Amino acid sequence: MVSIVRLYADQQGHARFEDVEIALSPDDAPPDAMTVSAPFAASAALFGRAPAGGGHPAQPEHRRQLVIGVSGSVEVTATGETRAFGPGDVLLVEDTTGTGHSSQTSEGFVAAFILLEPARPAT
């Protein structure tokens, strides 16, 4: 299993965090083989950098994406709950409607962004 955090909009449109376990298979792989998850359909990958002191006010994300921390750290706030993310952390961002989330970085943050398909979560 791989632990990630999902950021989504609940039925009332409030952004929420959810801890998610991504299953890997096969369960009994030999030492010279990898276990893998089910694929995520994606259209592009890119890197981005937020400078020290950067951030954005509460807003929904424009599309679904996986955000993978490369360096630095960022604090993301969703409906009053704040979580910190850094190198190696994975955030599945799916709050494309509702109140959205805000973010702030005091030291700067570099991440890989994997743009997922479909662009909006299934309803």
PDB file of all heavy atoms in Angstrom, residues 84-114:
ATOM      1  N   ALA A  84       0.599  20.048   6.190  1.00  0.00           N
ATOM      2  CA  ALA A  84       1.876  20.400   5.563  1.00  0.00           C
ATOM      3  C   ALA A  84       2.319  19.258   4.647  1.00  0.00           C
ATOM      4  O   ALA A  84       2.160  18.076   4.985  1.00  0.00           O
ATOM      5  CB  ALA A  84       2.936  20.652   6.633  1.00  0.00           C
ATOM      6  N   PHE A  85       2.880  19.627   3.495  1.00  0.00           N
ATOM      7  CA  PHE A  85       3.373  18.663   2.514  1.00  0.00           C
ATOM      8  C   PHE A  85       4.798  19.031   2.134  1.00  0.00           C
ATOM      9  O   PHE A  85       5.132  20.207   2.018  1.00  0.00           O
ATOM     10  CB  PHE A  85       2.478  18.656   1.271  1.00  0.00           C
ATOM     11  CG  PHE A  85       1.061  18.260   1.570  1.00  0.00           C
ATOM     12  CD1 PHE A  85       0.108  19.217   1.860  1.00  0.00           C
ATOM     13  CD2 PHE A  85       0.697  16.927   1.599  1.00  0.00           C
ATOM     14  CE1 PHE A  85      -1.197  18.860   2.159  1.00  0.00           C
ATOM     15  CE2 PHE A  85      -0.603  16.548   1.906  1.00  0.00           C
ATOM     16  CZ  PHE A  85      -1.556  17.521   2.182  1.00  0.00           C
ATOM     17  N   GLY A  86       5.627  18.012   1.927  1.00  0.00           N
ATOM     18  CA  GLY A  86       7.026  18.231   1.576  1.00  0.00           C
ATOM     19  C   GLY A  86       7.499  17.192   0.586  1.00  0.00           C
ATOM     20  O   GLY A  86       6.693  16.502  -0.056  1.00  0.00           O
ATOM     21  N   PRO A  87       8.815  17.021   0.454  1.00  0.00           N
ATOM     22  CA  PRO A  87       9.374  16.071  -0.504  1.00  0.00           C
ATOM     23  C   PRO A  87       8.824  14.654  -0.301  1.00  0.00           C
ATOM     24  O   PRO A  87       8.790  14.144   0.815  1.00  0.00           O
ATOM     25  CB  PRO A  87      10.876  16.126  -0.230  1.00  0.00           C
ATOM     26  CG  PRO A  87      11.092  17.479   0.363  1.00  0.00           C
ATOM     27  CD  PRO A  87       9.855  17.749   1.178  1.00  0.00           C
ATOM     28  N   GLY A  88       8.375  14.057  -1.398  1.00  0.00           N
ATOM     29  CA  GLY A  88       7.858  12.697  -1.361  1.00  0.00           C
ATOM     30  C   GLY A  88       6.385  12.579  -1.041  1.00  0.00           C
ATOM     31  O   GLY A  88       5.791  11.525  -1.246  1.00  0.00           O
ATOM     32  N   ASP A  89       5.768  13.645  -0.539  1.00  0.00           N
ATOM     33  CA  ASP A  89       4.335  13.587  -0.247  1.00  0.00           C
ATOM     34  C   ASP A  89       3.542  13.661  -1.545  1.00  0.00           C
ATOM     35  O   ASP A  89       3.929  14.362  -2.487  1.00  0.00           O
ATOM     36  CB  ASP A  89       3.912  14.741   0.664  1.00  0.00           C
ATOM     37  CG  ASP A  89       4.441  14.586   2.078  1.00  0.00           C
ATOM     38  OD1 ASP A  89       4.653  13.438   2.515  1.00  0.00           O
ATOM     39  OD2 ASP A  89       4.635  15.621   2.743  1.00  0.00           O
ATOM     40  N   VAL A  90       2.420  12.934  -1.578  1.00  0.00           N
ATOM     41  CA  VAL A  90       1.563  12.914  -2.758  1.00  0.00           C
ATOM     42  C   VAL A  90       0.177  13.389  -2.352  1.00  0.00           C
ATOM     43  O   VAL A  90      -0.421  12.871  -1.404  1.00  0.00           O
ATOM     44  CB  VAL A  90       1.469  11.501  -3.369  1.00  0.00           C
ATOM     45  CG1 VAL A  90       0.544  11.499  -4.581  1.00  0.00           C
ATOM     46  CG2 VAL A  90       2.856  10.993  -3.748  1.00  0.00           C
ATOM     47  N   LEU A  91      -0.330  14.377  -3.088  1.00  0.00           N
ATOM     48  CA  LEU A  91      -1.654  14.939  -2.850  1.00  0.00           C
ATOM     49  C   LEU A  91      -2.483  14.750  -4.112  1.00  0.00           C
ATOM     50  O   LEU A  91      -2.093  15.214  -5.194  1.00  0.00           O
ATOM     51  CB  LEU A  91      -1.535  16.423  -2.501  1.00  0.00           C
ATOM     52  CG  LEU A  91      -2.821  17.194  -2.231  1.00  0.00           C
ATOM     53  CD1 LEU A  91      -3.566  16.624  -1.025  1.00  0.00           C
ATOM     54  CD2 LEU A  91      -2.498  18.672  -2.003  1.00  0.00           C
ATOM     55  N   LEU A  92      -3.605  14.033  -3.990  1.00  0.00           N
ATOM     56  CA  LEU A  92      -4.551  13.867  -5.093  1.00  0.00           C
ATOM     57  C   LEU A  92      -5.561  15.000  -4.964  1.00  0.00           C
ATOM     58  O   LEU A  92      -6.401  14.997  -4.062  1.00  0.00           O
ATOM     59  CB  LEU A  92      -5.235  12.500  -5.013  1.00  0.00           C
ATOM     60  CG  LEU A  92      -6.405  12.250  -5.968  1.00  0.00           C
ATOM     61  CD1 LEU A  92      -5.979  12.411  -7.428  1.00  0.00           C
ATOM     62  CD2 LEU A  92      -7.013  10.883  -5.718  1.00  0.00           C
ATOM     63  N   VAL A  93      -5.464  15.986  -5.840  1.00  0.00           N
ATOM     64  CA  VAL A  93      -6.308  17.181  -5.762  1.00  0.00           C
ATOM     65  C   VAL A  93      -7.531  16.979  -6.647  1.00  0.00           C
ATOM     66  O   VAL A  93      -7.401  16.834  -7.866  1.00  0.00           O
ATOM     67  CB  VAL A  93      -5.522  18.441  -6.187  1.00  0.00           C
ATOM     68  CG1 VAL A  93      -6.401  19.674  -6.090  1.00  0.00           C
ATOM     69  CG2 VAL A  93      -4.270  18.600  -5.331  1.00  0.00           C
ATOM     70  N   GLU A  94      -8.709  16.979  -6.020  1.00  0.00           N
ATOM     71  CA  GLU A  94      -9.957  16.786  -6.757  1.00  0.00           C
ATOM     72  C   GLU A  94     -11.029  17.799  -6.365  1.00  0.00           C
ATOM     73  O   GLU A  94     -12.196  17.619  -6.712  1.00  0.00           O
ATOM     74  CB  GLU A  94     -10.489  15.365  -6.538  1.00  0.00           C
ATOM     75  CG  GLU A  94      -9.597  14.296  -7.105  1.00  0.00           C
ATOM     76  CD  GLU A  94     -10.224  12.924  -7.079  1.00  0.00           C
ATOM     77  OE1 GLU A  94     -10.637  12.474  -5.985  1.00  0.00           O
ATOM     78  OE2 GLU A  94     -10.302  12.300  -8.142  1.00  0.00           O
ATOM     79  N   ASP A  95     -10.687  18.864  -5.668  1.00  0.00           N
ATOM     80  CA  ASP A  95     -11.687  19.872  -5.287  1.00  0.00           C
ATOM     81  C   ASP A  95     -11.841  20.901  -6.417  1.00  0.00           C
ATOM     82  O   ASP A  95     -11.446  22.033  -6.314  1.00  0.00           O
ATOM     83  CB  ASP A  95     -11.346  20.523  -3.946  1.00  0.00           C
ATOM     84  CG  ASP A  95     -10.080  21.354  -3.954  1.00  0.00           C
ATOM     85  OD1 ASP A  95      -9.157  21.031  -4.733  1.00  0.00           O
ATOM     86  OD2 ASP A  95     -10.010  22.333  -3.192  1.00  0.00           O
ATOM     87  N   THR A  96     -12.480  20.466  -7.494  1.00  0.00           N
ATOM     88  CA  THR A  96     -12.645  21.321  -8.687  1.00  0.00           C
ATOM     89  C   THR A  96     -13.926  22.148  -8.637  1.00  0.00           C
ATOM     90  O   THR A  96     -14.202  22.914  -9.553  1.00  0.00           O
ATOM     91  CB  THR A  96     -12.633  20.472  -9.971  1.00  0.00           C
ATOM     92  OG1 THR A  96     -13.708  19.535  -9.917  1.00  0.00           O
ATOM     93  CG2 THR A  96     -11.298  19.740 -10.124  1.00  0.00           C
ATOM     94  N   THR A  97     -14.716  21.980  -7.575  1.00  0.00           N
ATOM     95  CA  THR A  97     -15.924  22.780  -7.357  1.00  0.00           C
ATOM     96  C   THR A  97     -15.945  23.195  -5.896  1.00  0.00           C
ATOM     97  O   THR A  97     -15.135  22.740  -5.091  1.00  0.00           O
ATOM     98  CB  THR A  97     -17.199  21.961  -7.666  1.00  0.00           C
ATOM     99  OG1 THR A  97     -17.250  20.837  -6.782  1.00  0.00           O
ATOM    100  CG2 THR A  97     -17.223  21.477  -9.113  1.00  0.00           C
ATOM    101  N   GLY A  98     -16.882  24.057  -5.546  1.00  0.00           N
ATOM    102  CA  GLY A  98     -17.058  24.450  -4.150  1.00  0.00           C
ATOM    103  C   GLY A  98     -16.121  25.557  -3.718  1.00  0.00           C
ATOM    104  O   GLY A  98     -15.619  26.325  -4.534  1.00  0.00           O
ATOM    105  N   THR A  99     -15.875  25.604  -2.395  1.00  0.00           N
ATOM    106  CA  THR A  99     -15.097  26.697  -1.802  1.00  0.00           C
ATOM    107  C   THR A  99     -13.609  26.614  -2.097  1.00  0.00           C
ATOM    108  O   THR A  99     -12.907  27.612  -2.029  1.00  0.00           O
ATOM    109  CB  THR A  99     -15.290  26.734  -0.283  1.00  0.00           C
ATOM    110  OG1 THR A  99     -14.877  25.474   0.263  1.00  0.00           O
ATOM    111  CG2 THR A  99     -16.746  26.995   0.093  1.00  0.00           C
ATOM    112  N   GLY A 100     -13.116  25.420  -2.381  1.00  0.00           N
ATOM    113  CA  GLY A 100     -11.705  25.259  -2.700  1.00  0.00           C
ATOM    114  C   GLY A 100     -10.810  25.272  -1.473  1.00  0.00           C
ATOM    115  O   GLY A 100     -11.265  25.235  -0.338  1.00  0.00           O
ATOM    116  N   HIS A 101      -9.518  25.347  -1.728  1.00  0.00           N
ATOM    117  CA  HIS A 101      -8.487  25.309  -0.690  1.00  0.00           C
ATOM    118  C   HIS A 101      -7.539  26.481  -0.900  1.00  0.00           C
ATOM    119  O   HIS A 101      -7.492  27.062  -1.979  1.00  0.00           O
ATOM    120  CB  HIS A 101      -7.712  23.987  -0.763  1.00  0.00           C
ATOM    121  CG  HIS A 101      -6.951  23.845  -2.049  1.00  0.00           C
ATOM    122  ND1 HIS A 101      -7.542  23.389  -3.215  1.00  0.00           N
ATOM    123  CD2 HIS A 101      -5.661  24.138  -2.369  1.00  0.00           C
ATOM    124  CE1 HIS A 101      -6.634  23.407  -4.184  1.00  0.00           C
ATOM    125  NE2 HIS A 101      -5.489  23.846  -3.696  1.00  0.00           N
ATOM    126  N   SER A 102      -6.778  26.796   0.129  1.00  0.00           N
ATOM    127  CA  SER A 102      -5.731  27.809   0.015  1.00  0.00           C
ATOM    128  C   SER A 102      -4.388  27.148   0.290  1.00  0.00           C
ATOM    129  O   SER A 102      -4.320  26.047   0.827  1.00  0.00           O
ATOM    130  CB  SER A 102      -5.964  28.961   0.999  1.00  0.00           C
ATOM    131  OG  SER A 102      -5.896  28.489   2.336  1.00  0.00           O
ATOM    132  N   SER A 103      -3.304  27.830  -0.104  1.00  0.00           N
ATOM    133  CA  SER A 103      -1.975  27.302   0.178  1.00  0.00           C
ATOM    134  C   SER A 103      -1.030  28.448   0.509  1.00  0.00           C
ATOM    135  O   SER A 103      -1.258  29.594   0.104  1.00  0.00           O
ATOM    136  CB  SER A 103      -1.424  26.503  -1.007  1.00  0.00           C
ATOM    137  OG  SER A 103      -1.121  27.359  -2.086  1.00  0.00           O
ATOM    138  N   GLN A 104       0.031  28.101   1.238  1.00  0.00           N
ATOM    139  CA  GLN A 104       1.040  29.078   1.649  1.00  0.00           C
ATOM    140  C   GLN A 104       2.357  28.347   1.846  1.00  0.00           C
ATOM    141  O   GLN A 104       2.378  27.257   2.408  1.00  0.00           O
ATOM    142  CB  GLN A 104       0.615  29.752   2.961  1.00  0.00           C
ATOM    143  CG  GLN A 104       1.567  30.799   3.467  1.00  0.00           C
ATOM    144  CD  GLN A 104       1.605  32.043   2.596  1.00  0.00           C
ATOM    145  OE1 GLN A 104       0.599  32.446   2.038  1.00  0.00           O
ATOM    146  NE2 GLN A 104       2.776  32.638   2.459  1.00  0.00           N
ATOM    147  N   THR A 105       3.451  28.948   1.362  1.00  0.00           N
ATOM    148  CA  THR A 105       4.769  28.378   1.602  1.00  0.00           C
ATOM    149  C   THR A 105       5.701  29.460   2.115  1.00  0.00           C
ATOM    150  O   THR A 105       5.830  30.521   1.504  1.00  0.00           O
ATOM    151  CB  THR A 105       5.359  27.711   0.338  1.00  0.00           C
ATOM    152  OG1 THR A 105       6.686  27.252   0.640  1.00  0.00           O
ATOM    153  CG2 THR A 105       5.396  28.628  -0.866  1.00  0.00           C
ATOM    154  N   SER A 106       6.334  29.202   3.243  1.00  0.00           N
ATOM    155  CA  SER A 106       7.274  30.180   3.792  1.00  0.00           C
ATOM    156  C   SER A 106       8.665  30.021   3.182  1.00  0.00           C
ATOM    157  O   SER A 106       9.402  30.983   3.050  1.00  0.00           O
ATOM    158  CB  SER A 106       7.346  30.064   5.310  1.00  0.00           C
ATOM    159  OG  SER A 106       7.791  28.774   5.680  1.00  0.00           O
ATOM    160  N   GLU A 107       9.019  28.782   2.786  1.00  0.00           N
ATOM    161  CA  GLU A 107      10.368  28.518   2.281  1.00  0.00           C
ATOM    162  C   GLU A 107      10.438  28.268   0.786  1.00  0.00           C
ATOM    163  O   GLU A 107      11.511  28.127   0.221  1.00  0.00           O
ATOM    164  CB  GLU A 107      10.970  27.314   3.017  1.00  0.00           C
ATOM    165  CG  GLU A 107      10.248  26.016   2.744  1.00  0.00           C
ATOM    166  CD  GLU A 107      10.876  24.822   3.448  1.00  0.00           C
ATOM    167  OE1 GLU A 107      11.900  24.319   2.967  1.00  0.00           O
ATOM    168  OE2 GLU A 107      10.325  24.418   4.491  1.00  0.00           O
ATOM    169  N   GLY A 108       9.285  28.181   0.126  1.00  0.00           N
ATOM    170  CA  GLY A 108       9.240  27.824  -1.287  1.00  0.00           C
ATOM    171  C   GLY A 108       8.920  26.348  -1.428  1.00  0.00           C
ATOM    172  O   GLY A 108       9.106  25.561  -0.486  1.00  0.00           O
ATOM    173  N   PHE A 109       8.413  25.971  -2.592  1.00  0.00           N
ATOM    174  CA  PHE A 109       7.957  24.602  -2.812  1.00  0.00           C
ATOM    175  C   PHE A 109       8.096  24.264  -4.284  1.00  0.00           C
ATOM    176  O   PHE A 109       7.691  25.042  -5.146  1.00  0.00           O
ATOM    177  CB  PHE A 109       6.496  24.473  -2.374  1.00  0.00           C
ATOM    178  CG  PHE A 109       5.931  23.079  -2.455  1.00  0.00           C
ATOM    179  CD1 PHE A 109       6.414  22.062  -1.652  1.00  0.00           C
ATOM    180  CD2 PHE A 109       4.887  22.796  -3.324  1.00  0.00           C
ATOM    181  CE1 PHE A 109       5.873  20.776  -1.715  1.00  0.00           C
ATOM    182  CE2 PHE A 109       4.338  21.521  -3.387  1.00  0.00           C
ATOM    183  CZ  PHE A 109       4.833  20.516  -2.587  1.00  0.00           C
ATOM    184  N   VAL A 110       8.698  23.117  -4.569  1.00  0.00           N
ATOM    185  CA  VAL A 110       8.792  22.599  -5.931  1.00  0.00           C
ATOM    186  C   VAL A 110       8.020  21.289  -5.963  1.00  0.00           C
ATOM    187  O   VAL A 110       8.155  20.461  -5.057  1.00  0.00           O
ATOM    188  CB  VAL A 110      10.261  22.373  -6.357  1.00  0.00           C
ATOM    189  CG1 VAL A 110      10.342  21.714  -7.730  1.00  0.00           C
ATOM    190  CG2 VAL A 110      11.017  23.701  -6.355  1.00  0.00           C
ATOM    191  N   ALA A 111       7.209  21.109  -7.006  1.00  0.00           N
ATOM    192  CA  ALA A 111       6.401  19.896  -7.115  1.00  0.00           C
ATOM    193  C   ALA A 111       6.311  19.443  -8.555  1.00  0.00           C
ATOM    194  O   ALA A 111       6.459  20.234  -9.484  1.00  0.00           O
ATOM    195  CB  ALA A 111       4.998  20.142  -6.561  1.00  0.00           C
ATOM    196  N   ALA A 112       6.048  18.148  -8.726  1.00  0.00           N
ATOM    197  CA  ALA A 112       5.671  17.581 -10.020  1.00  0.00           C
ATOM    198  C   ALA A 112       4.153  17.514 -10.026  1.00  0.00           C
ATOM    199  O   ALA A 112       3.536  17.120  -9.031  1.00  0.00           O
ATOM    200  CB  ALA A 112       6.261  16.186 -10.194  1.00  0.00           C
ATOM    201  N   PHE A 113       3.550  17.940 -11.130  1.00  0.00           N
ATOM    202  CA  PHE A 113       2.100  17.930 -11.292  1.00  0.00           C
ATOM    203  C   PHE A 113       1.749  16.964 -12.410  1.00  0.00           C
ATOM    204  O   PHE A 113       2.247  17.109 -13.530  1.00  0.00           O
ATOM    205  CB  PHE A 113       1.585  19.332 -11.645  1.00  0.00           C
ATOM    206  CG  PHE A 113       1.836  20.345 -10.574  1.00  0.00           C
ATOM    207  CD1 PHE A 113       3.044  21.031 -10.519  1.00  0.00           C
ATOM    208  CD2 PHE A 113       0.884  20.618  -9.609  1.00  0.00           C
ATOM    209  CE1 PHE A 113       3.295  21.972  -9.532  1.00  0.00           C
ATOM    210  CE2 PHE A 113       1.127  21.546  -8.614  1.00  0.00           C
ATOM    211  CZ  PHE A 113       2.334  22.228  -8.573  1.00  0.00           C
ATOM    212  N   ILE A 114       0.926  15.987 -12.104  1.00  0.00           N
ATOM    213  CA  ILE A 114       0.444  15.026 -13.096  1.00  0.00           C
ATOM    214  C   ILE A 114      -1.022  15.365 -13.348  1.00  0.00           C
ATOM    215  O   ILE A 114      -1.865  15.212 -12.447  1.00  0.00           O
ATOM    216  CB  ILE A 114       0.572  13.568 -12.598  1.00  0.00           C
ATOM    217  CG1 ILE A 114       1.964  13.288 -12.027  1.00  0.00           C
ATOM    218  CG2 ILE A 114       0.183  12.597 -13.700  1.00  0.00           C
ATOM    219  CD1 ILE A 114       3.103  13.470 -12.979  1.00  0.00           C
TER     220      ILE A 114
END
